[in-house]
């Protein structure tokens, strides 16, 4: 049931003046009108100030609840993504190095990135290759057979020039970075040469172990040295390591 309460204009005027007034309220309940009198409204200035403060506190509480809700949603999203990564890693029969080899067989060149993807029907590897023809190619491979499902030339963006130089200078390729990470940290789900967020380019590798722990690893393109950037357990909410 909805109840509509109307306060007389005189009551509002008295509130502004800081006085006390007896107001008449009209309530509509299930279509039946009834009058209620004797509802006394006390409006002292101190009470007004207290009410304003209370409203502010209530607003802060609502804001905190909203922030808490957003945090909860983020945690749920992280958990869902983590479970999805574990499922994909367990389902893939083709490893990251094998996917890289299959991509280079289709388009000779240098692999700049690999990503295990289940967003479309079936599980696939998406490979980004800088071809010997000087063009960027995206190749989609079946994660069960390594068969090429699709390939197309990508439009070059403004930052690709630096990425080209970093790929040419790298002594450790995507396959080697993936093998280094997989040796100790489980199944590789993505490999990417990242030059956007650091002073120098680095291979960023993500893995999942059989117990559900996820790792983000950094591999130096020159030395091949590997280090852990972040680790997250299946039931953890925070990263154990810090990315830099």
């Amino acid at each position: 049931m909805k109840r509509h309460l109307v306060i007389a204009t005189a009551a509002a005027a008295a509130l502004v003046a800081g006085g006390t007034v007896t107001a008449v309220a009209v309530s509509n309940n299930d279509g039946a009108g009834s009058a209620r009198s004797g509802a006394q409204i006390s409006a002292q200035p101190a009470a007004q100030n207290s009410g304003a403060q209370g409203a502010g506190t209530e607003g802060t509480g609502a804001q905190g609840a909203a922030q808490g809700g957003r945090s909860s949603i983020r945690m749920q999203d992280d958990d869902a993504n983590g479970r999805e990564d574990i499922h994909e890693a367990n389902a893939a029969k083709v490893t990251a190095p094998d996917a890289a080899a299959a991509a280079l067989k289709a388009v000779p060149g240098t692999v700049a990135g690999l990503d295990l993807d289940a967003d479309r029907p079936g599980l696939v590897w998406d490979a980004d290759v800088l071809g010997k023809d000087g063009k960027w190619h995206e190749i989609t491979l079946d994660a069960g057979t390594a068969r090429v499902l699709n390939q197309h030339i990508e439009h070059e963006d403004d930052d690709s020039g630096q990425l080209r130089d970093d790929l040419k200078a790298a002594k450790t390729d995507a396959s080697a970075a993936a093998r280094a990470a997989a040796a100790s940290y489980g199944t590789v789900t993505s490999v990417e040469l990242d030059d956007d967020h650091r002073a120098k380019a680095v291979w960023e590798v993500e893995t999942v172990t059989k117990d559900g722990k996820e790792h983000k690893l950094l591999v130096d393109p020159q030395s091949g040295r590997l280090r852990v950037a972040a680790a997250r357990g299946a039931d953890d909410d925070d990263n154990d390591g810090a990315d830099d």
Side-chain angles (χ1 to χ4, degrees), residues 82-178:
R83 289 192 296 270
E84 182 178 350
D85 288 342
I86 295 168
H87 175 73
E88 292 174 2
N90 291 335
K93 296 179 181 179
V94 176
T95 65
D98 290 341
L104 293 179
K105 185 176 180 180
V107 178
T110 306
V111 174
L114 293 164
D115 185 47
L116 191 60
D117 185 10
D119 289 343
R120 67 199 76 195
L123 187 62
V124 300
W125 281 102
D126 287 327
D128 292 320
V129 176
L130 176 60
K132 288 185 177 181
D133 59 2
K135 299 177 181 179
W136 290 100
H137 299 258
E138 182 174 321
I139 304 165
T140 302
L141 304 153
D142 190 303
T145 64
R147 181 171 63 91
V148 175
L149 301 176
N150 186 30
Q151 65 182 83
H152 64 271
I153 296 175
E154 296 182 300
H155 295 293
E156 191 167 341
D157 59 31
D158 296 337
D159 298 330
S160 65
Q162 182 61 49
L163 183 57
R164 286 172 178 269
D165 294 340
D166 292 334
L167 279 173
K168 292 177 180 178
K171 297 178 180 178
T172 301
D173 62 13
S175 294

Side-chain angles (χ1 to χ4, degrees), residues 197-217:
H197 307 101
R198 299 175 177 84
K200 62 179 183 178
V202 64
W203 287 109
E204 186 176 284
V205 186
E206 295 183 359
T207 68
V208 178
T209 55
K210 290 183 179 180
D211 61 358
K213 193 162 190 177
E214 299 173 272
H215 291 86
K216 181 183 288 185
L217 308 153

Side-chain angles (χ1 to χ4, degrees), residues 172 177 180 200 202-203 217-228 244:
T172 301
K200 62 179 183 178
V202 64
W203 287 109
L217 308 153
L218 304 180
V219 179
D220 190 298
Q222 302 303 317
S223 66
R225 185 173 66 89
L226 180 147
R227 62 190 175 89
V228 178
D244 58 356

